[in-house]
Amino acid sequence: MALPTLHASCNHGASLHTKHIVSGGHDRIYLLESSFLARQSFRCTSGTQRLSAEKPRKSFSRIAWAAAETDIFTATADFQELEIPSFPRPTPPQSFKSRFADDQPRKGSDILVEALEREGVTDVFAYPGGASMEIHQALTRSSSIRNVLCRHEQGEVFAAEGYARASGKVGVCIATSGPGATNLVTGLADAMLDSIPMVAITGQVPRRMIGTDAFQETPIVEVTRSITKHNYLILNIEDIPRLIREAFYLASSGRPGPVLVDIPKDVQQQMSIPDWNQPMKLQGYLERLPKPPQLSQLEQILRLISNSRRPVVYCGGGCMNSSKELREFIDLTGIPVTTTLMGLGVFPSSDERCLHMLGMHGTVYANYSVDKADLLLAFGVRFDDRVTGKLETFASRASIVHIDVDSAEIGKNKQPHVSLCADIQPALVGINHLIKSRNLSFDFSAWMKELNEQKLKWPLNYPKDEDFICPQQAIELLHEVTQGNAIITTGVGQHQMWAAQWFKYDKPRQWLSSGGLGAMGFGLPAALGAAVANPGVPVVDIDGDGSFLMNIQELATIYVEQLPVKIMILNNQHLGMVVQWEDRFYKGNRAHTYLGDPRNEETIFPDFLKMAEGCKVPSARVVKKSDLRKAIELMLETPGPYLLDVIVPHQEHVLPMIPSGGSFNDIITEGDGRRIY
């Protein structure tokens, strides 16, 4: 269903069509049609004055939902009563000392770089090419921005993601036109699904060549439109200061996400005197940002908590900036907490009230708690299929409260009984204030006792009497040696799930992994970005041999930049997660999942130690369980980067496991690839 404005609180799953590319002098607007999924909600920004000037429609989601399910209470957050902070509104540009005189003309590329400086950017991940050379030349003239030269554009976009995930700042990557820009696509999709604030800048062919199939021309705005929060094609040099400010604000406000800025080479080469005081044109977007919650909405949530006997908090990546408020809420109420893969670390794993991860490979007791709960408090989550399994049976006994910053996520997969479109942080500030001001107390000790019994009955486990190294043991030992004080990145597969289960995360932004997209090759470049953002903090990439090979070229980057990234490869010579599914559901038939040398299966192939040696990165291989601790200690003690190749059996399975589309009653807790199913 096409709507004339970008109001997106309706028709979850429908497409919205708008025109949103801005450019031109004398307020002339160039328009290109685009299609957004309604899930973008307030993510989208009106790109023209005509659109943004229209008065937003009132949300009719309440009417639609009430008609569909009369016991649903839907609350739209609004300014009311409580003194709770809202999203920061755009502020005028702060004082900045430019290296240019105020009336001195400069190139568009220099204006772009200064715009980045004014946004506080200190690190970018950029790979040069013909259409972006001017930007790189301008970067060499900057005294405050460091460029980390990754060896592949996919490496740089994952590194920018790792930087953003580990720091909370907007990650910045820059690529040339054509293949350079298209190599960013996987990372942009990943950032979109995981709500990571990022600005990707791409060079483009000169304006007169756009649409002529020029050398290295791709319409990257069209290519990335559905996998970015917003994108721009800058056709007027005078727009650069304003659009860069808008890009950073859009990327970091509301539900964060990636914004792409495409700049033709001739615009980069033009000369102009920039106007740094241009106001942003985001009125439509600003009007759709959630407001602080009403007192009545928070009171309704408190009434449900007071009337419940078995409540559970189910929190995700949307709580990443609300960890302090979440911990206070749990201290005040005593409600047990389970987290999604993206939410690891927002509540301490070492806390006795933590039930750890839920979902397909979550703990039995976490999934048990949701199955038996009478109240599910869903904070900053989207009811992903890997969490819910069969939707009809997920939290089927519970009243559901859903608080999320994106209205399109509310009711998209699972209908809540009480919903609140608001940022989690001010919502929790308000709830905590009400609990303390009214001296409310809660007693869920009987419920906690029941869950503790489940913890004792169904602990995570792995074979401990075998001679080989269990992958779970390697991660558990890494946690023990580091005492949990490390940033962990992963690729995607079995090693990712084991890292989520066996390393305990007590702080937010300690766990960096590709959640929604599940992009192999994420681990090493993300670790690179995290190390740039957090110098002096141990960063360990727990990777699989399949995932690691996909961006192995970044070994060169971590050596040249002397980044202290440690790489622990759990090498089973297979695509382990696919092998596990082959064992469970395809009678063990191997369909192109062996990654070693089929002519010599006794050797380890490829030889990661020789590859590391070629990049001057120290490395070692460990096969015996008795050597594992010393090998990990040596890895962590060695200055700079280090690669440890840990040989593990391919027969191990990630357990527990709820088969895709299954329910809690279908959970698998035992078995491996050594038996036939």
Side-chain angles (χ1 to χ4, degrees):
M1 176 179 178
L3 301 179
T5 72
L6 276 171
H7 187 62
S9 60
C10 58
N11 285 356
H12 305 305
S15 291
L16 264 69
H17 296 275
T18 184
K19 299 180 174 160
H20 76 297
I21 291 188
V22 185
S23 186
H26 302 96
D27 294 324
R28 186 177 178 189
I29 306 297
Y30 293 82
L31 303 172
L32 292 175
E33 185 175 20
S34 70
S35 174
F36 285 85
L37 291 178
R39 72 176 291 271
Q40 306 271 343
S41 184
F42 60 86
R43 294 174 169 205
C44 308
T45 175
S46 54
T48 72
Q49 188 174 1
R50 177 178 62 81
L51 282 175
S52 63
E54 292 185 15
K55 185 177 180 180
R57 299 179 179 180
K58 291 183 178 180
S59 168
F60 54 87
S61 57
R62 181 180 304 190
I63 299 171
W65 290 351
E69 193 167 347
T70 56
D71 64 340
I72 300 295
F73 171 85
T74 302
T76 303
D78 203 354
F79 284 111
Q80 284 285 333
E81 300 181 53
L82 285 177
E83 293 291 331
I84 299 176
S86 182
F87 288 109
R89 284 328 202 206
T91 56
Q94 301 297 310
S95 60
F96 178 88
K97 187 170 180 60
S98 173
R99 61 182 177 275
F100 296 94
D102 290 345
D103 59 352
Q104 181 181 354
R106 78 270 336 236
K107 285 186 173 183
S109 56
D110 285 302
I111 296 173
L112 170 66
V113 169
E114 184 168 324
L116 296 178
E117 292 173 340
R118 288 171 179 264
E119 293 297 327
V121 174
T122 57
D123 303 282
V124 299
F125 304 87
Y127 197 92
S132 64
M133 285 179 63
E134 290 286 348
I135 301 173
H136 282 263
Q137 290 295 312
L139 284 170
T140 66
R141 295 188 282 272
S142 172
S143 60
S144 59
I145 297 180
R146 166 197 185 188
N147 179 42
V148 178
L149 179 63
C150 294
R151 268 44 181 184
H152 192 287
E153 289 90 357
Q154 187 180 100
E156 77 174 46
V157 69
F158 282 156
E161 267 200 273
Y163 182 96
R165 290 172 188 253
S167 68
K169 301 176 183 177
V170 177
V172 180
C173 60
I174 304 173
T176 190
S177 63
T182 56
N183 279 341
L184 301 179
V185 167
T186 299
L188 292 173
D190 190 60
M192 185 71 167
L193 281 169
D194 287 354
S195 304
I196 306 303
M198 193 164 67
V199 171
I201 299 169
T202 52
Q204 184 54 276
V205 299
R207 287 171 293 183
R208 67 184 182 279
M209 295 183 181
I210 293 177
T212 67
D213 293 332
F215 176 67
Q216 290 194 334
E217 180 197 359
T218 54
I220 196 62
V221 166
E222 283 75 17
V223 170
T224 62
R225 184 164 288 136
S226 62
I227 55 169
T228 52
K229 184 175 178 180
H230 193 59
N231 49 34
Y232 294 99
L233 172 62
I234 299 181
L235 299 177
N236 188 329
I237 189 173
E238 295 174 0
D239 290 335
I240 294 175
R242 174 176 63 84
L243 295 185
I244 294 300
R245 284 192 68 213
E246 289 183 8
F248 274 79
Y249 185 77
L250 289 168
S252 57
S253 61
R255 180 176 180 175
V259 176
L260 181 131
V261 180
D262 198 27
I263 308 180
K265 186 169 183 176
D266 60 327
V267 175
Q268 300 171 35
Q269 294 171 325
Q270 274 186 298
M271 303 293 288
S272 179
I273 299 173
D275 177 8
W276 299 108
N277 296 311
Q278 301 176 59
M280 295 196 296
K281 298 180 180 179
L282 298 176
Q283 189 58 37
Y285 175 81
L286 294 173
E287 288 172 351
R288 284 184 293 275
L289 285 176
K291 311 302 189 297
Q294 295 180 348
L295 179 63
S296 59
Q297 297 166 340
L298 303 183
E299 286 178 330
Q300 174 144 1
I301 295 171
L302 281 177
R303 283 197 297 272
L304 285 171
I305 295 173
S306 297
N307 293 332
S308 69
R309 292 185 298 117
R310 298 186 303 279
V312 175
V313 171
Y314 151 45
C315 60
C319 296
M320 198 58 64
N321 295 325
S322 313
S323 178
K324 178 182 175 182
E325 291 76 15
L326 177 65
R327 295 179 193 205
E328 183 181 13
F329 174 74
I330 302 305
D331 287 339
L332 291 170
T333 61
I335 298 175
V337 182
T338 181
T339 69
T340 65
L341 182 74
M342 290 296 298
L344 291 173
V346 298
F347 188 78
S349 296
S350 57
D351 192 293
E352 62 180 5
R353 295 161 297 188
C354 184
L355 304 173
H356 308 115
M357 188 174 70
L358 81 163
M360 177 177 283
H361 293 296
T363 62
V364 173
Y365 42 88
N367 287 304
Y368 174 93
S369 71
V370 173
D371 187 63
K372 303 299 182 184
D374 61 5
L375 175 64
L376 185 67
L377 300 170
F379 296 161
V381 294
R382 56 189 181 89
F383 291 88
D384 177 73
D385 62 289
R386 289 296 172 107
V387 167
T388 64
K390 188 176 181 181
L391 276 168
E392 294 80 5
T393 62
F394 182 77
S396 58
R397 300 172 174 85
S399 297
I400 297 175
V401 174
H402 192 183
I403 305 177
D404 199 89
V405 75
D406 187 353
S407 62
E409 292 297 345
I410 295 175
K412 184 180 76 174
N413 293 327
K414 186 79 174 178
Q415 286 285 7
H417 298 83
V418 175
S419 67
L420 174 59
C421 181
D423 183 22
I424 303 298
Q425 189 175 42
L428 286 174
V429 167
I431 293 173
N432 293 342
H433 171 75
L434 288 178
I435 293 173
K436 290 183 288 188
S437 64
R438 299 180 183 183
N439 293 319
L440 299 178
S441 61
F442 307 92
D443 182 10
F444 301 116
S445 56
W447 174 227
M448 279 304 308
K449 181 181 178 182
E450 181 180 343
L451 294 178
N452 286 332
E453 290 172 354
Q454 292 297 314
K455 283 186 177 183
L456 294 174
K457 183 178 179 181
W458 299 106
L460 291 173
N461 205 358
Y462 62 86
K464 296 183 174 65
D465 298 328
E466 305 293 343
D467 293 332
F468 55 78
I469 299 173
C470 275
Q472 302 96 314
Q473 181 189 20
I475 297 169
E476 186 179 43
L477 195 54
L478 176 67
H479 178 268
E480 183 181 324
V481 173
T482 62
Q483 298 182 333
N485 295 316
I487 293 173
I488 302 297
T489 70
T490 73
V492 170
Q494 285 183 314
H495 70 275
Q496 177 191 30
M497 296 297 104
W498 282 319
Q501 291 176 339
W502 290 93
F503 198 99
K504 304 308 177 187
Y505 305 92
D506 284 346
K507 293 175 286 189
R509 307 196 180 282
Q510 193 183 357
W511 160 258
L512 317 180
S513 193
S514 173
L517 191 66
M520 293 175 68
F522 178 85
L524 178 55
L528 184 164
V532 172
N534 297 274
V537 177
V539 180
V540 182
D541 170 28
I542 300 175
D543 226 325
D545 48 312
S547 277
F548 179 68
L549 198 56
M550 288 196 172
N551 271 312
I552 195 171
Q553 75 283 341
E554 300 311 327
L555 281 173
T557 309
I558 62 174
Y559 170 74
V560 170
E561 298 289 340
Q562 277 302 288
L563 297 171
V565 172
K566 314 301 181 184
I567 305 156
M568 188 171 81
I569 303 174
L570 302 180
N571 189 346
N572 63 9
Q573 297 283 280
H574 288 73
L575 288 172
M577 187 61 82
V578 187
V579 165
Q580 177 170 332
W581 283 53
E582 286 176 338
D583 289 339
R584 294 284 178 174
F585 310 117
Y586 294 91
K587 298 181 180 179
N589 182 48
R590 295 289 176 261
H592 319 120
T593 49
Y594 177 60
L595 299 178
D597 181 359
R599 290 176 294 276
N600 189 0
E601 295 186 7
E602 299 302 315
T603 62
I604 302 300
F605 178 86
D607 191 336
F608 291 125
L609 305 192
K610 290 184 178 179
M611 292 180 171
E613 182 184 0
C615 292
K616 299 184 179 180
V617 173
S619 62
R621 177 175 292 142
V622 58
V623 178
K624 297 180 180 178
K625 185 190 296 188
S626 57
D627 297 332
L628 183 58
R629 177 181 286 273
K630 287 185 178 179
I632 290 175
E633 289 173 346
L634 178 61
M635 174 183 73
L636 296 170
E637 292 167 0
T638 302
Y642 191 96
L643 184 149
L644 179 61
D645 193 19
V646 183
I647 307 304
V648 298
H650 70 272
Q651 294 94 341
E652 288 302 309
H653 285 185
V654 181
L655 297 174
M657 178 184 181
I658 298 177
S660 181
S663 67
F664 174 66
N665 292 330
D666 302 315
I667 196 165
I668 299 168
T669 58
E670 59 183 21
D672 57 28
R674 298 174 182 87
R675 55 179 284 193
I676 298 175
Y677 299 91

